[in-house]
Amino acid sequence: MPPLRRQPVQRRSAERLGRILDACAELLDEISYEELSTRAVAERANVPIGSVYRFFSNKRAMAEALAHRNLDEYAARITRRLAASESGPDSGPNGGGGWREAMDVVVDEYLAMKRGAPGFALIEFGNPVPATAQPQQPNHLVADRLRMLLADRLATGAPAGAGDAAGDEAAEERLRVAFLLAVEAADALLRLAFRVDPEGDPAIVAETKELLRAYLARVLD
C-alpha cells in the first residue's frame, strides 16, 4: 500500500482504515470517480471526515490505496489457487502444472475480481484516468508482482547465457520485459472482452490465454 499520512498502529485504527477503503470501493460501484468525495466515503464508512483525512490527503490518495489493496488481494488469490493445485490430483511430480497453468490462474483470478470485487471494475490496480491519457505505472507493478509470485514455476531450465553474471542479468531483463508485454497485451484484450460482454466475452478470454501461452513460450520453454 502506498504511504499513508498516518500508519495505523492499533487494531481499531487498522479496522477503521479497512472500513474507509471498503466504503470507497462500494461507492465506486455506484458512482463515477469524478463524483466520489471524501465526505461521501466518510458517511458510507460511518466515520468522521477527520478519520479519512488522517490517512489520506485527497480522494486520489484513497483510490491509490484501494488499487494497492486490490493488487495484494489479487496476489493472495493467485497464491491460494496455485497452492491448492500443487496438492491436487492433476499436479505433476514436482507439484503444480507449470507456468501455463499458472498463467491461466492469473487470468481467471483477474476475471473473478473484475466480475465481483467491489470497486475493481473502475480502479483495478491503478487510478482511473481519461481514455486519452498515457499508460502509467500500474501494469509495471502487476508484471513485477506476478514475475516474483510465479518465480518457482518459471524456473524451467537454465536460459542461454546462464552461469555468468552478464548472462543471468540479460536473461532476467528479458523475462522482465516479456512479463510487462504480456500484462499490457492481456490488459488490452481483457478490456475488450468486457466491452463486448459485461461478464467478459468467453471467446476473447480463451484467445487471450492462447496468446499469452504462445508468447511466453518463447522465453519460458
Side-chain angles (χ1 to χ4, degrees):
M1 187 174 291
L4 304 173
R5 298 183 82 179
R6 180 178 298 180
Q7 293 292 333
V9 295
Q10 297 179 339
R11 179 178 177 181
R12 184 173 63 179
S13 181
E15 290 174 347
R16 180 169 291 185
L17 173 60
R19 291 206 311 275
I20 291 170
L21 291 178
D22 288 344
C24 178
E26 291 172 5
L27 284 168
L28 287 171
D29 276 345
E30 303 169 11
I31 61 177
S32 69
Y33 176 74
E34 288 72 21
E35 295 173 303
L36 183 72
S37 70
T38 52
R39 184 168 298 280
V41 170
E43 291 175 356
R44 177 63 63 91
N46 196 26
V47 300
I49 186 67
S51 294
V52 175
Y53 285 115
R54 183 172 294 115
F55 297 115
F56 306 111
S57 57
N58 51 44
K59 71 177 184 180
R60 184 175 183 85
M62 188 163 45
E64 287 177 355
L66 179 60
H68 280 258
R69 190 176 75 165
N70 286 342
L71 182 54
D72 287 342
E73 174 60 19
Y74 181 51
R77 293 172 70 126
I78 293 170
T79 299
R80 289 194 295 269
R81 280 280 304 277
L82 295 180
S85 74
E86 288 172 359
S87 57
D90 297 327
S91 63
N94 297 320
W99 68 265
R100 287 174 175 80
E101 180 199 42
M103 292 309 299
D104 283 354
V105 169
V106 164
V107 173
D108 289 342
E109 289 304 321
Y110 171 84
L111 295 174
M113 291 189 70
K114 187 79 168 178
R115 292 167 180 151
F120 187 82
L122 185 60
I123 293 290
E124 294 196 3
F125 307 119
N127 282 311
V129 295
T132 55
Q134 291 296 317
Q136 297 186 14
Q137 287 297 99
N139 281 343
H140 290 253
L141 296 176
V142 174
D144 288 343
R145 188 73 169 269
L146 290 176
R147 185 163 45 88
M148 291 185 289
L149 193 65
L150 305 178
D152 59 332
R153 303 220 174 191
L154 303 182
T156 56
D164 62 271
D168 289 346
E169 184 175 337
E172 181 64 22
E173 176 62 12
R174 186 184 182 206
L175 185 61
R176 185 193 68 79
V177 171
F179 257 73
L180 177 59
L181 293 181
V183 167
E184 290 283 0
D187 181 39
L189 290 171
L190 293 176
R191 287 178 186 274
L192 173 62
F194 280 91
R195 289 199 302 272
V196 172
D197 182 336
E199 289 298 309
D201 183 77
I204 296 176
V205 170
E207 289 299 312
T208 299
K209 289 181 176 181
E210 287 295 331
L211 182 147
L212 291 175
R213 294 189 197 106
Y215 173 67
L216 289 173
R218 300 166 56 251
V219 179
L220 300 178
D221 282 349

